[in-house]
Amino acid sequence: MLIYRMFRIFVVLGLTTLAGCSSLIESQTSQLADNLSNAVYNNDDLATVETALPTFIVMVDGLIEGSPESVGLLSTGASLNGAMAANFVSVDDMARKQRLVNKSRAYALRAACAQSDSLCALDQRPFDEFSRVVAETDADDLPVLYTLGVSWLGWLQVHSGDWNAVAQLPKAQLLLERVVELDDGYDHGMAHLYLGGIATLLPPALGGKPDVGREHFERAIALSEGKNLMAKVVYAQQYARLVFDQELHHRLLTEVLEADPNSEGFVLINAVAQQQATALLASEADYF
């Protein structure tokens, strides 16, 4: 499925939503969540993160039981479950993936509703009404809009065989576009990276917008000051391969491999980015 082609690229990107959410958690748990999030981001051992993440998920689930209307806890729960599904559950265990992404989106929808009554039941709104409600949001709503957009994309990945689910892609896209409108530097420009992926999902003849995608990718790189190496990897795989630009493809991936991955907050994602860059370069001659 074409929609799966996009989302399979975003390895460990689900983890990047944690920092923005954890800062919203009630004072008694916020420091713990911040410390755990930082430990995840700055760990270059994916196996260690995989082992630790389920414990963190159960802990946050328990905290949500005690504070079911907490915007921060619900948002963090959404991010953790989505990250677990995207990065650490095999496609051979699709039932487990579905459970995790269903819970992720449910938490994100609850967080949006807890943030504002106007944001309740967004998944049930007709698109025109959905668009109007999203257009009326402001900067205070940024964290829940971003978390819901990312969680929705993760949910779409796992339900990509259901065209009724795929039809909801415009809603997820609109949420991320609103994030960019309100603050395109939010979370180091990660919304641009997702939007770039959406724009380059299809070739131009089928409605894709590679030029728009390129602009989003370049903005994501600029906003992270080049520290997010995954932005260059996705740029190469999604855009350069789509338009058959081997020179750009080679340059981006070479830059990733030559870069120092140990940038604060990006250590984990950069470790994976360099692994992917190596694989993409190895297949470059066959592709082009």
Side-chain angles (χ1 to χ4, degrees):
M1 301 290 289
L2 287 171
I3 196 167
Y4 185 73
R5 175 178 168 268
M6 178 183 74
F7 293 114
R8 67 187 174 86
I9 296 171
F10 293 105
V11 176
V12 310
L13 291 190
L15 297 172
T16 64
T17 62
L18 297 177
C21 299
S22 62
S23 62
L24 300 175
I25 300 175
E26 285 81 351
S27 58
Q28 66 269 28
T29 57
S30 62
Q31 188 60 55
L32 173 61
D34 285 339
N35 290 341
L36 287 169
S37 295
N38 290 334
V40 168
Y41 300 140
N42 293 307
N43 194 316
D44 62 0
D45 187 342
L46 206 57
T48 297
V49 175
E50 179 180 7
T51 300
L53 202 53
T55 301
F56 195 6
I57 288 175
V58 172
M59 182 191 74
V60 173
D61 285 347
L63 293 172
I64 290 172
E65 288 291 325
S67 301
E69 301 300 319
S70 168
V71 174
L73 287 172
L74 288 166
S75 297
T76 299
S79 300
L80 287 170
N81 281 277
M84 186 72 196
N87 305 301
F88 304 117
V89 179
S90 168
V91 293
D92 295 330
D93 193 355
M94 191 55 67
R96 187 183 181 202
K97 271 186 175 288
Q98 289 180 347
R99 288 196 301 271
L100 287 165
V101 297
N102 289 349
K103 188 168 72 165
S104 173
R105 193 178 69 136
Y107 275 163
L109 287 166
R110 285 173 57 186
C113 186
Q115 172 73 13
S116 171
D117 289 343
S118 66
L119 297 177
C120 291
L122 285 176
D123 57 323
Q124 301 173 29
R125 307 284 186 96
F127 189 74
D128 287 347
E129 182 182 352
F130 180 93
S131 300
R132 177 184 59 76
V133 170
V134 172
E136 293 172 352
T137 57
D138 57 30
D140 290 340
D141 303 315
L142 263 172
V144 296
L145 294 176
Y146 178 60
T147 301
L148 181 55
V150 174
S151 296
W152 217 318
L153 289 181
W155 180 84
L156 283 165
Q157 174 193 358
V158 177
H159 294 87
S160 61
D162 179 354
W163 285 107
N164 290 322
V166 174
Q168 297 185 39
L169 178 60
K171 288 187 174 181
Q173 180 176 348
L174 188 64
L175 289 167
L176 294 170
E177 288 175 343
R178 183 57 177 162
V179 169
V180 167
E181 289 174 357
L182 292 170
D183 180 5
D184 76 331
Y186 184 77
D187 198 21
H188 307 286
M190 284 298 303
H192 282 287
L193 187 49
Y194 287 108
L195 289 170
I198 293 171
T200 54
L201 176 60
L202 297 170
L206 296 177
K209 300 178 179 179
D211 289 342
V212 173
R214 183 187 69 244
E215 292 174 1
H216 280 302
F217 290 136
E218 291 180 350
R219 186 62 176 155
I221 292 169
L223 288 169
S224 73
E225 299 178 337
K227 296 177 181 178
N228 183 355
L229 301 182
M230 185 62 76
K232 292 185 177 181
V233 172
V234 179
Y235 188 7
Q237 185 167 10
Q238 286 289 105
Y239 174 82
R241 290 199 171 203
L242 180 66
V243 301
F244 291 94
D245 189 336
Q246 183 176 7
E247 181 179 355
L248 176 64
H249 184 269
H250 192 85
R251 175 177 64 79
L252 288 168
L253 297 175
T254 300
E255 289 175 356
V256 169
L257 293 178
E258 292 177 348
D260 180 0
N262 297 312
S263 295
E264 180 70 22
F266 292 102
V267 176
L268 179 66
I269 195 172
N270 286 347
V272 177
Q274 290 187 329
Q275 291 177 4
Q276 291 192 359
T278 299
L280 287 169
L281 278 175
S283 65
E284 184 177 58
D286 292 334
Y287 188 87
F288 293 99

